[in-house]
C-alpha cells in the first residue's frame, strides 16, 4: 500500500513527470531514489539501451521493464570492425528476439550494433510485433535479403529500415518489391550496403512516389546516376540523400536534368554515396550546397581541386567525411570556408602503401583546428605528426569531445624532433577538458599514459595500439581515468601487474579488450576467480590456454562486467575464467 | 636454411624458391609495387584481410592484422582516374561554332567513329551528314575537325580510330563556308 505523506504524489502524477525524462542516465537515477520510484519508473520506461548484450539477460530486462517499446543492443567489441574478433565469437540477437516476441508484443523499435542477425531472427520480428516501426542494423551480419523481405512484407507500420555498414548476403535485387502496394509509411530507408546489381528502378520509383513522408533515402552502388533525377523529382521533401554510383556518360540532357532535380529538393541537408565519381557531374549538386550540413565523400576518389571546389560551395557544413585526396591544401580551404564545421573524418585512400600517395600531413589538421572554432570531433589518418602540431591543435580546440588520430605506420616518432609524441597527446588531454573519446598512435612511452591518467577525467573511451613501455602505463590509465567505460588495447607491453592491481576498476567499466599484450593465463584465471561480476574471456585460436604454461601470455582477452553470469554460446576458441567464491575480493 | 645466393636475374629463381616466412618478407624487390586494386562494382565486403590481399600484389612488408584500423569496405578505394593522358579516360574539349560554351567528352567511352559522331550530334543537336573519304561530310553545314599532335586541323574520320584517339587534342565542329571547304578536292 502506498503511504501518502506530505511529500508524496500519486503514482499517476509521478509517472507523468517521469515521461518527460528521456535520457537513460536520468532514468537510472530516478529509479534509485526509493523503492516506489523504482517501481513506478520501471513500468513506464519505454526505451532501454544495453551497451553489452552479455551484461544482462533478455529475461532480466523484460522482467524489469515489461512495457518497453524500443530496445538498443550492442554485441561485439569495437575491434571486431578491424577483424580482430574471430568469426563465431558471439553477439547473437536471436535469444533476445525470442524472449521479446513472447513478452513484449508491442515492441516498435530494435536497434542493433555489431550483432549477428539471422534471417530466422528477422522473420520472427516480422511475425511477432504488430506495430513494428523501426529496424536499425549497424555493422551487423548473418542475414540475407530474404530476412529483410519478410520485414518489408509484414510490417505495415514500418517507418525506418536502416542497414548501415552491414554485411548482407544479397540473394536478389527484389527487396523493395516486397513492400506491398498499399504500404506508404516509409520515412527512412538506408540500403547503401546492399551489393546486388539488380535494383528494380520502377519499383524504387513507385515506392518513393507513394511514401510521401520519406525523409532519408540512401541508395546503393547499383543505382546509376541517370536514375537519380527521377527519384529526386518524386521526393523533393528529402532531407538526407545517398546517391548510388555517381558516374554516367556525359550528356547535356542528363546533366541539366540532374541539376534541376537537385534544385527541386529544398529540404536537402545531407548527402552521401558518391561512388565512382565523374567530376564533371559534381556541379549538379551546387544548388543544394549552400544548405548542406553533412557531406560524406569518403568513397569519392576525386582529387583535391574538385574537392576544393565542392567544399567552397558549402559554407554551412557541420560534418565532412572525405578521403585524404583532399590534401593539406584542401583542408586549408575547408578551414576558411566552413566556419560551422563540427566533425571531420579524413580516411586513407591507400592505407597499405608505404610511401605517401597524397600530400596530407599534420598541416591540414592544424589548419582546420585553427579555422574552425566549433570543431569537436576528429578522425584523422595521416603519415606524419609532430608534438608541435598536436600542441597547437590542442590549444586551438579546447572543446574537442572526440579525437582519434591514426598515424599509419606504428610507432612513428615526431618527424621533426624524432621524439615520442607523449607531449603532443598530453596537450590534447590537458587542454580538452571535455574529451570523451581518444585514440592514440605513433611512438608513445608510459609518459603519455601518465598525462592521460592525470588530465583525462571525462574520458570514456580510449584506444591504444603499439604504445607504452611497461605495466605502469596501463596502471596510470586504470587508476586515473575516473570516467573510463571502454578501454581497448592491442600490441602493448602491458601485463599482469596493472590488471590485477586495478581489478576493482574493471567493474566500473563496460569492457576491456587486450590483444597481443603480455597478460598471462594465470592472471586471467585469478581475475576470473576473484571477480564474480566480471566475465573474463580468453580468446585464443591456438588451442586451450591450459595446454601451455600458465605464464604464457594469452592471445586476446575480453573482460566485461555482467549480472548474467557466464554466457552459454561460446565457440570452441573462447574460455571464460571460472568464479571461485572462496577467493572473492572483499 | 640456405644462405642467400646471388641468382641470375633472368632465371628469377628466387621467386620460386621454397622457404619459410610470410609472403613479401625478405623480398629484395622493395620498390613501389603495382597495386591493381579491383574496382569491382559490388558492395560486398571483402572477407577480412585475406580477400583484400588477394586483390593486390604482395606488399613490400608483412601486413599487420587489423592495421591501420579501417573497415573492410573502405579498403578498396581505388586510385582515381589519372590525368587525361594516362591510362583510364581521355577527356578532350569539344567546341561548336556558334555555341556559347564548350563541352568535354571521354574518347575512351566510344568504340569508333559512328558512336563518337552520334554522341556529338546528340550533344549539340545537329546533323553531321554522311562521311566519305572523297567528299568529307556530305549533306550538312557542319564538319567535325580535330587538332592533332602537330597542331594541324584535320577532318575527323580519315585515320584509323586508335590512331585518332591518341593523336586528337581537341575537337571543333566547324560550320558554314569554312566547313564546306574541307574535304573537297583541292
Amino acid at each position: 500500500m502506498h503511504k501518502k505523506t506530505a511529500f508524496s504524489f500519486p503514482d499517476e502524477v509521478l509517472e507523468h513527470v517521469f515521461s518527460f525524462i528521456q535520457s537513460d542516465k536520468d532514468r537510472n537515477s530516478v529509479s534509485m531514489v526509493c523503492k516506489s520510484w523504482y517501481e513506478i519508473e520501471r513500468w513506464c520506461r519505454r526505451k532501454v539501451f544495453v551497451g553489452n548484450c552479455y551484461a544482462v539477460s533478455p529475461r532480466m530486462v523484460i522482467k524489469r521493464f515489461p512495457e518497453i517499446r524500443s530496445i538498443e543492443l550492442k554485441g561485439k567489441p569495437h575491434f571486431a570492425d578491424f577483424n580482430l574478433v574471430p568469426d563465431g565469437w558471439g553477439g547473437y540477437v536471436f535469444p533476445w528476439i525470442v524472449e521479446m516476441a513472447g513478452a513484449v508484443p508491442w515492441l516498435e523499435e530494435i536497434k542493433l550494433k555489431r550483432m549477428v542477425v539471422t534471417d530466422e531472427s528477422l522473420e520472427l520480428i516480422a511475425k511477432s510485433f504488430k506495430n513494428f516501426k523501426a529496424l536499425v542494423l549497424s555493422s551487423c551480419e548473418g542475414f540475407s535479403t530474404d530476412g529483410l523481405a519478410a520485414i518489408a512484407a509484414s510490417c505495415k507500420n514500418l517507418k525506418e529500415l536502416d542497414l548501415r555498414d552491414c554485411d548482407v548476403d544479397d540473394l536478389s535485387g527484389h527487396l523493395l518489391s516486397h513492400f506491398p502496394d498499399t504500404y506508404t509509411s516509409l520515412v527512412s530507408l538506408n540500403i547503401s550496403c546492399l551489393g546486388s546489381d539488380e535494383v528494380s528502378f520502377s519499383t524504387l520509383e513507385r515506392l518513393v512516389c507513394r511514401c510521401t513522408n520519406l525523409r532519408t533515402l540512401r541508395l546503393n552502388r547499383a543505382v546509376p546516376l541517370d536514375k537519380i533525377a527521377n527519384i529526386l523529382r518524386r521526393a523533393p521533401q528529402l532531407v538526407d540523400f545517398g546517391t548510388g554510383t555517381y558516374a554516367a556518360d556525359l550528356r547535356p540532357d542528363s546533366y541539366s536534368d540532374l541539376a534541376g532535380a537537385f534544385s527541386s529538393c529544398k529540404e536537402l541537408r545531407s548527402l552521401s554515396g558518391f561512388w565512382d565519381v565523374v567530376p564533371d557531374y559534381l556541379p549538379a549538386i551546387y544548388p543544394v550546397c549552400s544548405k548542406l550540413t553533412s557531406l560524406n565523400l569518403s568513397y569519392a576518389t576525386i582529387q583535391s581541386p574538385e574537392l576544393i571546389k565542392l567544399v567552397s560551395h558549402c559554407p554551412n557544413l557541420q560534418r565532412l567525411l572525405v578521403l585524404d585526396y583532399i590534401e593539406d591544401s584542401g583542408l586549408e580551404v575547408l578551414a576558411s570556408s566552413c566556419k560551422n564545421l563540427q566533425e571531420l573524418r579524413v580516411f586513407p585512400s591507400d592505407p597499405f602503401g608505404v610511401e605517401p600517395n597524397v600530400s596530407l600531413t599534420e598541416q591540414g589538421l592544424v589548419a582546420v583546428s585553427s579555422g574552425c572554432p566549433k570543431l569537436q570531433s576528429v578522425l584523422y589518418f595521416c603519415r606524419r605528426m609532430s608534438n608541435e602540431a598536436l600542441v597547437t591543435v590542442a590549444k586551438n580546440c579546447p572543446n574537442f569531445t572526440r579525437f582519434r588520430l591514426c598515424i599509419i605506420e606504428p610507432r612513428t616518432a615526431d618527424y621533426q624532433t624524432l621524439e615520442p609524441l607523449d607531449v603532443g597527446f598530453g596537450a590534447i588531454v590537458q587542454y580538452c577538458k571535455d574529451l570523451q573519446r581518444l585514440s592514440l598512435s605513433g611512438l608513445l612511452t608510459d609518459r603519455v599514459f601518465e598525462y592521460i591518467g592525470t588530465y583525462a577525467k571525462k574520458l570514456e573511451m580510449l584506444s591504444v595500439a603499439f604504445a607504452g613501455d611497461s605495466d605502469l602505463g596501463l596502471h596510470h590509465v586504470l587508476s586515473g581515468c575516473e570516467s573510463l567505460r571502454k578501454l581497448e588495447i592491442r600490441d602493448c607491453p602491458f601485463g599482469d601487474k596493472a590488471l590485477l592491481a586495478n581489478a576493482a576498476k574493471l567493474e566500473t567499466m563496460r569492457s576491456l579488450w587486450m590483444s597481443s599484450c603480455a597478460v598471462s593465463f594465470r592472471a586471467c584465471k585469478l581475475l576470473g576467480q576473484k571477480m564474480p561480476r566480471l566475465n573474463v574471456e580468453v580468446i585464443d585460436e591456438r588451442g586451450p590456454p591450459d595446454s601451455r604454461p600458465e605464464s604464457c601470455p594469452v592471445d586476446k582477452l575480453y573482460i566485461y562486467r555482467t549480472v548474467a553470469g557466464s554466457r552459454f554460446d561460446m565457440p570452441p576458441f573462447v574460455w571464460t575464467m571460472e568464479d571461485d567464491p572462496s577467493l572473492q575480493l572483499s | 636454411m640456405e644462405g642467400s645466393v646471388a641468382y641470375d636475374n633472368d632465371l628469377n629463381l628466387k621467386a620460386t624458391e621454397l622457404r619459410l616466412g610470410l609472403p613479401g618478407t625478405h623480398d629484395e624487390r622493395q620498390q613501389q609495387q603495382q597495386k591493381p586494386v579491383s574496382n569491382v562494382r559490388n558492395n560486398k565486403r571483402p572477407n577480412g584481410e585475406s580477400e583484400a590481399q588477394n586483390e593486390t600484389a604482395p606488399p613490400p612488408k608483412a601486413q599487420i592484422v587489423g592495421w591501420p584500423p579501417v573497415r573492410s569496405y573502405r579498403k578498396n578505394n581505388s586510385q582515381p582516374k589519372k590525368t587525361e593522358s594516362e591510362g583510364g579516360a581521355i577527356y578532350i574539349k569539344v567546341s561548336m561554332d556558334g555555341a556559347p560554351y564548350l563541352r568535354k567528352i571521354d574518347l575512351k567511352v566510344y568504340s569508333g567513329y559512328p558512336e563518337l559522331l552520334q554522341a556529338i550530334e546528340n550533344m549539340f543537336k545537329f546533323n553531321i551528314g554522311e562521311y566519305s573519304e572523297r567528299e568529307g561530310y556530305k549533306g550538312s553545314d557542319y564538319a567535325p575537325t580535330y587538332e592533332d599532335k602537330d597542331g594541324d586541323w584535320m577532318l575527323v574520320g580519315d585515320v584509323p580510330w586508335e590512331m585518332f584517339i591518341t593523336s586528337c587534342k581537341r575537337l571543333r565542329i566547324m560550320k558554314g563556308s569554312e566547313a564546306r571547304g574541307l574535304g573537297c578536292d583541292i
Side-chain angles (χ1 to χ4, degrees):
Chain A
M1 220 28 215
H2 181 81
K3 240 193 234 175
K4 286 194 168 52
T5 71
F7 305 109
S8 72
F9 294 102
D11 291 2
E12 299 80 20
V13 173
L14 282 170
E15 205 179 299
H16 183 69
V17 172
F18 294 169
S19 70
F20 293 102
I21 299 169
Q22 304 291 343
S23 112
D24 293 320
K25 270 177 91 177
D26 292 342
R27 279 263 172 178
N28 291 344
S29 305
V30 161
S31 69
M32 292 200 291
V33 167
C34 62
K35 280 193 179 149
S36 65
W37 279 37
Y38 176 94
E39 276 302 308
I40 298 165
E41 193 283 319
R42 79 180 185 89
W43 279 97
C44 67
R45 189 170 317 198
R46 296 284 176 261
K47 271 178 136 174
V48 167
F49 167 76
V50 181
N52 173 7
C53 64
Y54 291 120
V56 66
S57 75
R59 198 162 290 184
M60 285 166 144
V61 174
I62 294 166
K63 184 157 179 248
R64 181 171 169 190
F65 304 114
E67 295 290 326
I68 50 169
R69 298 285 180 270
S70 164
I71 188 154
E72 184 175 348
L73 300 170
K74 293 189 179 181
K76 300 186 206 175
H78 174 238
F79 274 176
D81 285 356
F82 316 123
N83 303 310
L84 288 177
V85 179
D87 277 342
W89 171 83
Y92 305 104
V93 79
F94 191 66
W96 288 84
I97 309 295
V98 167
E99 286 290 338
M100 293 188 295
V104 195
W106 297 112
L107 194 70
E108 293 177 1
E109 182 176 273
I110 296 175
K111 296 182 175 177
L112 307 174
K113 188 166 186 179
R114 288 193 207 96
M115 293 198 76
V116 178
V117 181
T118 55
D119 283 347
E120 205 186 349
S121 303
L122 292 174
E123 281 151 19
L124 190 53
I125 292 172
K127 217 172 51 169
S128 316
F129 306 116
K130 299 300 170 205
N131 200 27
F132 195 67
K133 293 201 171 120
L135 183 65
V136 179
L137 303 179
S138 176
S139 304
C140 295
E141 49 157 5
F143 59 102
S144 78
T145 43
D146 285 353
L148 296 172
I151 302 274
S154 311
C155 301
K156 303 188 189 348
N157 295 317
L158 192 72
K159 287 187 169 170
E160 188 175 355
L161 180 60
D162 185 337
L163 312 169
R164 52 181 84 153
D165 308 329
C166 289
D167 189 359
V168 184
D169 200 0
D170 209 320
L171 302 178
S172 82
H174 303 303
L175 166 63
L176 300 179
S177 60
H178 290 272
F179 285 110
D181 290 335
T182 48
Y183 169 75
T184 57
S185 25
L186 198 60
V187 174
S188 174
L189 180 67
N190 178 357
I191 52 168
S192 54
C193 65
L194 290 186
S196 169
D197 279 328
E198 313 163 45
V199 171
S200 165
F201 304 124
S202 55
T203 308
L204 175 59
E205 279 172 32
R206 275 182 284 119
L207 180 66
V208 168
C209 227
R210 66 182 186 272
C211 296
T212 53
N213 290 323
L214 195 64
R215 291 283 177 276
T216 297
L217 179 63
R218 294 191 181 189
L219 302 170
N220 64 332
R221 208 166 168 173
V223 180
L225 193 55
D226 52 318
K227 298 296 176 192
I228 302 289
N230 283 345
I231 292 166
L232 287 175
R233 283 195 202 284
R234 281 161 176 70
Q237 76 282 5
L238 279 178
V239 174
D240 182 326
F241 182 62
T243 75
T245 295
Y246 206 80
D249 291 339
L250 285 165
R251 289 188 220 291
D253 298 354
S254 40
Y255 177 87
S256 54
D257 203 22
L258 185 64
F262 269 114
S263 31
S264 70
C265 297
K266 307 286 184 208
E267 310 299 319
L268 210 48
R269 296 290 175 269
S270 169
L271 281 179
S272 56
F274 297 108
W275 286 282
D276 310 314
V277 174
V278 165
D280 287 354
Y281 267 107
L282 274 177
I285 70 169
Y286 286 173
V288 296
C289 280
S290 63
K291 291 200 193 149
L292 277 186
T293 55
S294 171
L295 189 52
N296 183 350
L297 294 169
S298 60
Y299 300 106
T301 52
I302 48 177
Q303 303 279 38
S304 188
E306 275 101 25
L307 287 165
I308 287 176
K309 264 187 248 153
L310 198 45
V311 303
S312 317
H313 278 82
C314 307
N316 287 310
L317 210 54
Q318 293 172 12
R319 187 167 184 262
L320 177 67
L321 280 67
V322 72
L323 288 170
D324 56 10
Y325 290 129
I326 194 169
E327 300 195 325
D328 290 337
S329 54
L331 291 175
E332 275 154 34
V333 174
L334 181 69
S336 59
S337 309
C338 303
K339 295 304 184 186
N340 290 326
L341 196 70
Q342 294 173 17
E343 181 178 349
L344 174 67
R345 298 193 187 205
V346 180
F347 295 98
S349 53
D350 186 16
F352 303 113
V354 175
E355 296 301 318
N357 62 322
V358 291
S359 178
L360 180 104
T361 68
E362 81 285 0
Q363 293 305 318
L365 181 60
V366 171
V368 179
S369 75
S370 170
C372 302
K374 300 187 187 169
L375 194 63
Q376 277 184 356
S377 173
V378 166
L379 171 61
Y380 199 79
F381 284 81
C382 61
R383 285 185 161 84
R384 75 173 202 205
M385 190 47 61
S386 66
N387 283 309
E388 186 186 356
L390 283 171
V391 172
T392 305
V393 168
K395 288 180 174 170
N396 285 340
C397 296
N399 295 324
F400 269 166
T401 52
R402 281 175 283 275
F403 186 71
R404 297 157 70 187
L405 179 67
C406 180
I407 304 165
I408 289 176
E409 180 64 30
R411 302 193 186 91
T412 302
D414 177 325
Y415 79 97
Q416 290 174 326
T417 64
L418 300 183
E419 284 171 0
L421 292 169
D422 300 336
V423 167
F425 280 105
I428 295 280
V429 292
Q430 194 181 341
Y431 286 96
C432 307
K433 301 200 190 313
D434 293 326
L435 198 68
Q436 289 168 15
R437 185 167 178 184
L438 177 65
S439 298
L440 306 172
S441 59
L443 182 65
L444 298 164
T445 72
D446 284 346
R447 205 144 156 251
V448 72
F449 299 109
E450 193 180 348
Y451 289 133
I452 292 172
T454 305
Y455 294 109
K457 295 306 180 187
K458 300 268 180 74
L459 192 67
E460 297 180 11
M461 182 170 179
L462 178 65
S463 307
V464 187
F466 306 102
D469 309 311
S470 74
D471 272 52
L472 204 51
L474 180 57
H475 175 70
H476 283 309
V477 172
L478 290 176
S479 58
C481 296
E482 291 160 6
S483 310
L484 197 64
R485 293 188 298 113
K486 289 178 280 182
L487 179 58
E488 48 185 24
I489 303 171
R490 61 163 297 174
D491 294 272
C492 295
F494 299 148
D496 303 348
K497 283 201 233 73
L499 205 53
L500 294 172
N502 292 283
K505 170 73 174 177
L506 299 176
E507 266 189 22
T508 70
M509 293 164 56
R510 182 187 297 174
S511 65
L512 167 65
W513 170 279
M514 292 179 75
S515 56
S516 307
C517 294
V519 180
S520 72
F521 181 50
R522 182 194 306 123
C524 295
K525 281 196 291 189
L526 203 53
L527 204 55
Q529 284 161 4
K530 287 191 173 183
M531 309 292 293
R533 286 186 297 225
L534 292 181
N535 274 357
V536 178
E537 290 187 10
V538 170
I539 302 164
D540 211 320
E541 287 175 289
R542 298 173 294 180
D546 55 15
S547 64
R548 288 178 290 278
E550 266 196 346
S551 56
C552 257
V554 299
D555 183 25
K556 296 167 184 175
L557 177 60
Y558 186 49
I559 302 173
Y560 53 91
R561 67 179 175 187
T562 179
V563 293
S566 288
R567 57 187 178 112
F568 306 112
D569 59 0
M570 291 178 307
F573 52 83
V574 176
W575 294 267
T576 300
M577 305 296 101
E578 291 306 316
D579 304 336
D580 185 346
S582 65
L583 283 178
Q584 279 174 39
L585 288 175
S586 47
Chain B
M1 187 128 127
E2 295 176 78
S4 59
V5 177
Y7 286 101
D8 188 36
N9 277 341
D10 293 335
L11 287 176
N12 202 13
L13 287 172
K14 201 141 180 84
T16 56
E17 178 192 344
L18 281 175
R19 54 185 163 85
L20 296 171
L22 290 165
T25 54
H26 306 301
D27 190 357
E28 292 165 341
R29 282 173 281 288
Q30 295 275 339
Q31 78 273 30
Q32 301 285 340
Q33 302 244 2
Q34 272 280 351
K35 283 205 179 172
V37 181
S38 74
N39 199 358
V40 177
R41 281 184 164 249
N42 167 343
N43 239 10
K44 236 358 199 320
R45 311 278 178 261
N47 188 11
E49 292 286 334
S50 50
E51 246 191 67
Q53 287 202 353
N54 286 340
E55 289 172 334
T56 63
K61 57 176 190 177
Q63 280 186 22
I64 305 164
V65 173
W67 192 268
V70 283
R71 305 286 303 270
S72 311
Y73 54 81
R74 291 197 182 283
K75 283 177 185 168
N76 284 341
N77 281 311
S78 51
Q79 297 296 322
K81 296 195 165 86
K82 303 276 197 221
T83 56
E84 293 161 14
S85 50
E86 297 164 37
I90 300 177
Y91 279 101
I92 55 150
K93 291 183 188 173
V94 185
S95 63
M96 165 118 158
D97 290 355
Y101 53 86
L102 280 63
R103 303 302 308 273
K104 251 201 183 160
I105 56 171
D106 173 8
L107 287 179
K108 275 270 169 129
V109 161
Y110 310 103
S111 49
Y113 286 120
E115 268 195 68
L116 170 67
L117 295 171
Q118 180 74 56
I120 296 178
E121 279 182 314
N122 288 342
M123 198 179 260
F124 292 101
K125 302 211 182 336
F126 72 107
N127 235 304
I128 219 164
E130 290 275 285
Y131 171 80
S132 73
E133 211 178 336
R134 216 175 73 89
E135 286 175 296
Y137 288 85
K138 201 171 150 193
S140 154
D141 262 354
Y142 301 91
T145 65
Y146 69 100
E147 187 183 3
D148 74 354
K149 281 191 171 142
D150 303 323
D152 297 320
W153 285 94
M154 318 286 292
L155 187 68
V156 171
D158 286 336
V159 303
W161 174 254
E162 293 305 314
M163 187 189 294
F164 165 71
I165 59 175
T166 52
S167 56
C168 171
K169 274 169 52 181
R170 52 185 299 167
L171 271 170
R172 176 185 162 200
I173 316 296
M174 280 187 189
K175 192 184 167 173
S177 52
E178 229 186 323
R180 281 190 288 276
L182 280 172
C184 295
D185 287 330
I186 298 161

